[in-house]
Amino acid sequence: MKGTSFMTKKTDQSNAFARTSRVVIKIGSALLVDRTTGLKKEWLDSVCADIARLRARGIEVLVVSSGAIALGRSVLKLPAGALKLEESQASAAVGQIALARAWSQSLDRDGIVAGQVLLTLGDTEERRRYLNARATLKQLLSLKAVPIINENDTVATTEIRYGDNDRLAARVATMIGADLLVLLSDIDGLYTAPPHLDPAAEFLPVIPEITPEIEAMAGGAASELSRGGMRTKIEAGKIATASGCAMLIASGKVLNPLASIEDGARFSRFEAAKSPVNARKTWIAGQLHPAGELHVDTGAETALLSGKSLLPAGVRRIEGHFSRGDTVAVYGPDGLEIARGLAGYDDGDARQIAGRKSGEIENILGYAGRSAMVHRDDLVLTGHAALDREAKKGRKNAHG
Ligand code: GLU
């Protein structure tokens, strides 16, 4: 399979946590909550015993736990099926309190203190709040507590939510500089096609890089209990690996799932990028909702790909409303994303100087602004463009 970026051969999986000093473990709702019997206490105790063992080896552990909504709806006896937003919010309020108590009690069996952290989208997307949330998590770790993190679903609305804990966990992992993110769910890894639909689907133990080909393997499937499917897991992988954090997808359907991983249960490992971008650029690249779009010409695209700043002259079109300092996505002439960066101008001013020389800025705006629309220090190549282009070329060639 020339040119593919995955391996189907078995690799040595026994040292999954080797060289790991800080790990984020994400736990899906379906593992923790049974629709009829509620919280799966025995399973939770077994995970907490695994966490205690990792900590005894000097590994710092953070948990992103789903299950608030699933648990709350079972306590409130809401009927099966999709919930309205207010029902989800109420379920989360009831479920989160029980979920946090359960974690705290289970970890306490090994003398470990738990700390509840509820995040909203702004806590990772706004720089000041991001630094604040990071400081809290660091403090908890230095006090030897295990942060138990979830989205604050009680106040999250459709527009301002992560919606899935896969990406939330990836944002947490990059925020705290974890070297490993483990997604425990009801599937044991990535397959070339959804295994329940395609018996020829092959399991992929190692994914050195997330290419468009890998992305295409992720169907959209999600269950009623959990929001994330394989697609959000791949999205999480992109966020984590770009910042130098490896990611495992493993089955949590057994007791002691983390010990099982080390005992030979299979999993897919997404390798961390070889040259991760720095912390600030990690934050820029991982932004879930860029505020605007800058569409640029070929000259600007070439300049960006060679590490230069984006000048107003190369900007053809601007979409969205943003303020200076907001994250914007930069698209090439073929409509594919090239980069993300912090806007040097509000969108109104940016529209006025788009397509104009930097020397004209003062005349147009009435003040001497920055010469760059996005400065290279605030810019990170998101790489999709180059990869997508390769994939397109491949498809064209295949069709003659
Ligand atoms: N935050 C949601 C909850 O605790 C779960 C989101 C997800 O399933 O990814 O219920």
Side-chain angles (χ1 to χ4, degrees):
M1 282 200 162
K2 197 172 144 255
T4 55
S5 28
F6 55 86
M7 303 172 197
T8 50
K9 271 198 267 74
K10 179 122 182 71
T11 54
D12 176 20
Q13 306 210 322
S14 59
N15 55 358
F17 294 94
R19 294 187 304 280
T20 299
S21 55
R22 193 174 276 174
V23 60
V24 173
I25 296 163
K26 183 262 169 173
I27 297 183
S29 300
L31 299 175
L32 262 173
V33 183
D34 181 279
R35 200 178 301 155
T36 45
T37 56
L39 190 86
K40 298 184 190 172
K41 175 101 176 53
E42 188 192 4
W43 187 85
L44 178 59
D45 285 345
S46 82
V47 175
C48 289
D50 283 355
I51 291 173
R53 274 193 292 271
L54 289 177
R55 290 196 5 139
R57 278 153 53 186
I59 300 176
E60 291 178 320
V61 180
L62 299 95
V63 173
V64 172
S65 175
S66 301
I69 297 174
L71 196 54
R73 71 183 291 165
S74 92
V75 173
L76 292 169
K77 302 199 171 30
L78 296 179
L83 295 179
K84 290 201 228 68
L85 176 64
E86 313 82 82
E87 289 172 331
S88 301
Q89 290 172 323
S91 297
V94 171
Q96 183 62 37
I97 205 167
L99 189 64
R101 189 189 316 119
W103 274 105
S104 165
Q105 284 172 349
S106 267
L107 284 169
D108 184 52
R109 289 156 43 104
D110 289 291
I112 298 173
V113 174
Q116 174 184 258
V117 179
L118 298 179
L119 297 174
T120 47
L121 191 64
D123 292 318
T124 59
E125 305 309 288
E126 286 170 32
R127 184 79 180 154
R128 192 176 48 81
R129 288 169 61 185
Y130 174 89
L131 295 175
N132 181 37
R134 183 168 74 174
T136 307
L137 292 174
K138 286 208 163 135
Q139 186 63 43
L140 282 167
L141 291 178
S142 73
L143 293 170
K144 306 266 175 276
V146 171
I148 306 294
I149 303 156
N150 197 359
E151 176 158 20
N152 193 352
D153 293 302
T154 304
V155 293
T157 60
T158 322
E159 307 79 54
I160 51 145
R161 75 185 319 165
Y162 303 92
D164 65 86
N165 276 1
D166 295 324
R167 290 178 309 155
L168 169 63
R171 285 301 259 161
V172 167
T174 59
M175 176 194 263
I176 197 72
D179 21 47
L180 186 66
L181 166 64
V182 180
L183 302 182
L184 290 179
S185 74
D186 49 9
I187 184 150
D188 56 1
L190 179 66
Y191 292 77
T192 50
H196 56 289
L197 301 175
D198 182 353
E202 260 188 279
F203 182 78
L204 303 176
V206 182
I207 296 93
E209 191 188 354
I210 300 175
T211 58
E213 189 185 9
I214 293 292
E215 289 188 56
M217 291 171 189
S223 74
E224 183 186 291
L225 279 182
S226 62
R227 298 229 185 78
M230 195 48 78
R231 187 165 298 286
T232 57
K233 292 185 175 42
I234 300 291
E235 287 299 323
K238 289 204 275 186
I239 295 169
T241 58
S243 77
C245 174
M247 182 177 92
L248 308 186
I249 299 179
S251 170
K253 288 206 295 197
V254 289
L255 290 179
N256 299 104
L258 301 170
S260 312
I261 289 175
E262 293 192 283
D263 290 345
R266 71 180 182 179
F267 56 81
S268 292
R269 181 183 175 93
F270 294 72
E271 299 294 1
K274 294 259 165 9
S275 47
V277 290
N278 69 31
R280 188 151 166 284
K281 291 201 173 187
T282 292
W283 174 76
I284 296 172
Q287 289 273 302
L288 300 179
H289 302 295
E293 297 179 0
L294 305 181
H295 294 262
V296 306
D297 63 18
T298 316
E301 179 177 41
T302 311
L304 291 182
L305 294 175
S306 68
K308 302 223 171 76
S309 296
L310 175 63
L311 301 180
V315 178
R316 289 276 165 270
R317 186 162 58 85
I318 293 170
E319 303 280 349
H321 294 292
F322 49 87
S323 304
R324 189 158 77 84
D326 283 350
T327 304
V328 289
V330 183
Y331 293 86
D334 51 8
L336 299 176
E337 183 176 316
I338 309 167
R340 288 186 182 190
L342 305 183
Y345 287 92
D346 296 352
D347 68 283
D349 286 355
R351 282 193 174 85
Q352 290 193 58
I353 58 173
R356 311 291 287 268
K357 297 224 165 58
S358 298
E360 298 178 82
I361 294 176
E362 186 164 2
N363 267 346
I364 299 169
L365 298 181
Y367 66 91
R370 296 139 183 257
S371 57
M373 191 82 103
V374 181
H375 191 272
R376 63 194 168 95
D377 291 348
D378 299 333
L379 191 97
V380 45
L381 296 177
T382 36
H384 307 137
L387 293 169
D388 288 355
R389 215 162 277 127
E390 286 306 310
K392 261 193 187 165
K393 251 192 249 159
R395 277 201 297 277
K396 262 192 208 139
N397 293 344
H399 296 143

